[in-house]
Amino acid sequence: MVRTRFAPSPTGYLHIGGVRTALFCWLFARRHGGQFILRIDDTDAERNVESALAPILHGLRWLGIDWDEGPDIGGRCAPYYQSQRLAGYQAAVEKLLAGGFAYRDYATTEEIAAEREAAQREKRPFLYSRQWMAESAADDARFTAEGRKAVVRLKMPRAGSLAIDDLVRGRVEFEWAREQDHVVQRADGTCLYHLASVVDDFDFEISHVIRAEEHLSNTPRQVFIAQSLDYPLPIYAHLPFVAEPGSKNKLSKRKLSTYLKNRDFAQVYEHGLAIAERLGLATSLDTFNPVIVEFYEAVGYLPAAIVNYLALVGWSLDERTEFLSREELMQHFSLDRVVKASASFDPKKLWAFQDHYMRQLGTAEKVDRMLPYLVRAKLIAEPASAADREKLARIIDAAGDRLKVFGDILAYADFFFQDEITYEADAFEKRLRKPGAGELLDKYRSELATLATWDVASLEQATQAFIEAQGIKIGDIIHAIRVAITGKGVGPGLYDCLAILGRDTSLARMRRAVESAATQ
RNA sequence: GGCCCCGUCGUCUAGAGGCCUAGGACACAGGCCUUUCACGCCUGCAACACGGGUUCGAAUCCCGUCGGGGUCACCA
């Protein structure tokens, strides 16, 4: 039975690299009809675990990465918080001690540091002297009498080597003599991550440990712990990590200002920022950041796009398939097609997937998903009336594939719902302050005032007739009309805008624009 | 610095000795379409890190060099 796990520590946010790891674990479990387990690594946590965990669970759920056992739903191996499994770790430490695989060490941190520095000075690899290792009860008594406190260290082998057959790396070998006597239990009795992780993986019957590459060098000590405890070894698979845009460094949420120098990254960030600001969301880099999954949810990306994109960061189905549904991924995912090299996060490629999945949506669904954005931005009152929904549907159809994320509706719908529009300065100058623009627009307005039916076809026909009568080209007036009725230089098709706005509003806005152009 | 991992277009990747004058996608550039923008269509730019082997033949195998990254906590 395949059982994989994702073991986040409650940090308060879901990192895009973490999601990729979770996704691969989940996909692998689903592919093999196994279980995906969520375990919370909170052995060190002093913070509020529940509130720091909520965004992580929420993000995974939003992406559709569901777990079979975990903190909120329980399961046969409960509890799923490491902080609630301390007794098991304690028992493991006792067993390690009893078997001679670990020892009580009374060295102070200063003494260890001194040894490490000495080794560095002499340019030889550091290996603890075990000078303060207690080998008998008498030693314990003696060291304790000196006022020392003990930690428990692993008594690592000092000869031979270990070979791991990693599912993505192949065979990797380590010399035991290079491995340190790592601490597994602190002086205060609490246990460290590596021990807890190994014990839990055994207790949860994890068959495949799929995790990021940064854990590869930690594997020997974990194997040592597992072997010393007589645990069967899980199968390991170390995934390449997700790197910064345009570099090979590990993606980090702290370095956003550096990433912003990357044009693509900056573009995606600023696009999201504009939406967030209209929604009145907090936009500190700590909470609103394309390295964090919440960013995409807030701005209105589709989970399908993110999942599809992320699946292709480090994995591919074949030489040309790009679009894969969740079901197809579950069906085809395999670790042997995971690449070994780290892969840069490319926000523009994610954007392209978003564009693709957005097109699959029908108008009705877009109305449902975009309406909340308009409500939050106070462009539509809650609850939305049937008329508002109808109008929104028309706007969405007119805007078409210009709407890349749900939040984009704000920029395309605002002037339809506002009573009073503001002009974009550049567009106003260029289109309405041009000599003669006002007069022409005024004539056009008078012409439209007499129009029998106010719909797209009639508007187009009337406009054509108007430019022919005036002996001008469409480009000579259409931009002025657009700025007059929308306030903007770009937007949906002009006749659509006029039709949706209606006769009264359109004519009133044109009149006001003519006045503004003349007086300002 | 020690140990470990990695190295194909700017980016994600295909490639398991001849199918490679290296394929696809994103990005980028130019053009067409066009009322703006977006879309669409066409074209283009662009890579096997380097050096030695092995072989009739190497992006693919071996060795070395260089480069990049990870890790060396009483963090996870």
Side-chain angles (χ1 to χ4, degrees), chain A residues 335-468:
Chain A
L335 285 170
D336 55 22
R337 287 194 63 86
V338 171
V339 296
K340 295 175 180 172
S342 57
S344 298
F345 175 64
D346 181 351
K348 268 304 194 60
K349 186 134 185 174
L350 202 203
W351 180 260
F353 279 96
Q354 170 63 22
D355 180 47
H356 175 262
Y357 283 100
M358 199 66 165
R359 284 159 189 263
Q360 318 287 309
L361 265 39
T363 306
E365 187 166 357
K366 286 184 185 172
V367 169
D368 288 340
R369 305 295 302 273
M370 292 179 181
L371 196 57
Y373 284 84
L374 296 174
V375 170
R376 246 177 291 169
K378 299 187 166 56
L379 286 163
I380 288 183
E382 177 118 75
S385 64
D388 279 342
R389 292 184 65 93
E390 170 61 23
K391 189 172 173 186
L392 179 56
R394 294 179 72 189
I395 295 167
I396 287 169
D397 283 341
D401 51 30
R402 293 175 183 84
L403 302 170
K404 306 295 187 191
V405 300
F406 293 133
D408 281 337
I409 192 63
L410 296 172
Y412 284 94
D414 53 358
F415 55 85
F416 286 113
F417 289 104
Q418 289 162 330
D419 292 333
E420 192 92 337
I421 57 168
T422 51
Y423 303 115
E424 278 177 6
D426 293 355
F428 185 85
E429 279 302 313
K430 186 172 174 195
R431 305 302 188 186
L432 287 172
R433 298 300 294 274
K434 201 169 59 176
E439 293 74 31
L440 198 57
L441 184 59
D442 202 40
K443 273 189 214 161
Y444 178 74
R445 199 201 90 248
S446 318
E447 201 70 29
L448 284 199
T450 66
L451 199 60
T453 49
W454 191 271
D455 58 31
V456 171
S458 317
L459 285 161
E460 177 160 15
Q461 206 176 13
T463 306
Q464 287 301 333
F466 178 76
I467 63 169
E468 272 170 43

Side-chain angles (χ1 to χ4, degrees), chain A residues 230-279:
Chain A
D230 273 329
Y231 294 166
L233 250 33
I235 294 167
Y236 291 100
H238 287 92
L239 271 20
F241 50 76
V242 180
E244 302 172 345
S247 123
K248 292 294 177 198
N249 297 322
K250 194 166 68 174
L251 189 66
S252 155
K253 109 174 171 156
R254 309 243 165 254
K255 289 164 76 179
L256 188 66
S257 53
T258 308
Y259 306 159
L260 257 18
K261 290 176 192 148
N262 175 293
R263 185 182 52 175
D264 293 347
F265 198 94
Q267 214 170 307
V268 166
Y269 171 71
E270 274 151 26
H271 176 262
L273 189 62
I275 292 170
E277 281 170 351
R278 300 191 67 149
L279 293 172

Side-chain angles (χ1 to χ4, degrees), chain A residues 33-341:
Chain A
Q35 279 109 40
F36 175 63
I37 295 137
L38 208 56
R39 181 223 298 161
I40 308 309
D41 281 9
D42 57 348
T43 50
D44 190 47
E46 286 170 7
R47 52 204 148 213
N48 183 333
V49 173
E50 285 307 323
S51 68
L53 182 59
I56 296 172
L57 301 189
H58 176 83
L60 291 172
R61 252 189 222 109
W62 178 65
L63 290 169
I65 299 174
D66 57 339
W67 49 98
D68 303 294
E69 297 168 32
D72 53 340
I73 57 173
R76 65 178 168 90
C77 302
Y80 292 87
Y81 290 90
Q82 291 196 322
S83 58
Q84 294 169 21
R85 305 180 61 82
L86 305 181
Y89 310 146
Q90 183 57 40
V93 170
E94 304 292 346
K95 203 170 159 189
L96 250 18
L97 246 13
F101 300 111
Y103 58 88
R104 283 187 217 289
D105 181 56
Y106 288 87
T108 62
T109 49
E110 292 75 29
E111 284 158 349
I112 295 286
E115 284 199 6
R116 186 172 284 123
E117 279 162 32
Q120 205 161 41
R121 230 177 297 117
E122 294 159 35
K123 292 189 190 305
R124 58 175 167 80
F126 167 67
L127 218 45
Y128 174 45
S129 67
R130 292 178 182 165
Q131 204 182 325
W132 291 277
M133 167 173 75
E135 292 180 283
S136 63
D139 287 342
D140 283 311
R142 180 163 53 85
F143 288 132
T144 308
E146 289 175 22
R148 290 171 178 274
K149 289 244 193 304
V151 297
V152 176
R153 285 182 185 278
L154 255 17
K155 193 169 185 180
M156 298 298 285
R158 296 213 160 160
S161 64
L162 167 73
I164 297 162
D165 288 306
D166 187 284
L167 247 31
V168 341
R169 311 269 139 196
R171 172 159 289 223
V172 183
E173 293 192 47
F174 299 90
E175 299 258 340
W176 281 124
R178 299 280 180 230
E179 298 299 321
Q180 303 298 323
D181 286 0
H182 295 282
V183 173
V184 290
Q185 186 174 48
R186 298 184 182 95
D188 67 5
T190 57
C191 289
L192 265 7
Y193 165 76
H194 292 289
L195 177 97
S197 182
V198 170
V199 171
D200 286 339
D201 284 343
F202 170 73
D203 286 347
F204 292 175
E205 294 169 35
I206 300 304
S207 64
H208 295 72
V209 171
I210 301 170
R211 66 202 343 181
E213 185 188 352
E214 60 207 84
H215 286 287
L216 185 54
S217 357
N218 297 331
T219 308
R221 87 185 73 156
Q222 296 186 1
V223 167
F224 176 75
I225 294 171
Q227 286 177 334
S228 302
L229 258 15
D230 273 329
Y231 294 166
L233 250 33
I235 294 167
Y236 291 100
H238 287 92
L239 271 20
F241 50 76
V242 180
E244 302 172 345
S247 123
K248 292 294 177 198
N249 297 322
K250 194 166 68 174
L251 189 66
S252 155
K253 109 174 171 156
R254 309 243 165 254
K255 289 164 76 179
L256 188 66
S257 53
T258 308
Y259 306 159
L260 257 18
K261 290 176 192 148
N262 175 293
R263 185 182 52 175
D264 293 347
F265 198 94
Q267 214 170 307
V268 166
Y269 171 71
E270 274 151 26
H271 176 262
L273 189 62
I275 292 170
E277 281 170 351
R278 300 191 67 149
L279 293 172
L281 299 178
T283 55
S284 85
L285 263 42
D286 225 38
T287 54
F288 192 76
N289 180 328
V291 173
I292 301 173
V293 172
E294 278 177 87
F295 172 92
Y296 301 97
E297 189 184 0
V299 169
Y301 280 70
L302 289 161
I306 295 173
V307 166
N308 194 159
Y309 168 69
L310 250 21
L312 261 25
V313 175
W315 178 84
S316 65
L317 175 63
D318 54 32
E319 70 271 18
R320 56 182 62 248
T321 308
E322 295 279 336
F323 300 115
L324 291 143
S325 67
R326 185 183 308 279
E327 288 66 35
E328 288 170 318
L329 286 170
M330 285 195 279
Q331 207 168 88
H332 298 295
F333 181 79
S334 67
L335 285 170
D336 55 22
R337 287 194 63 86
V338 171
V339 296
K340 295 175 180 172

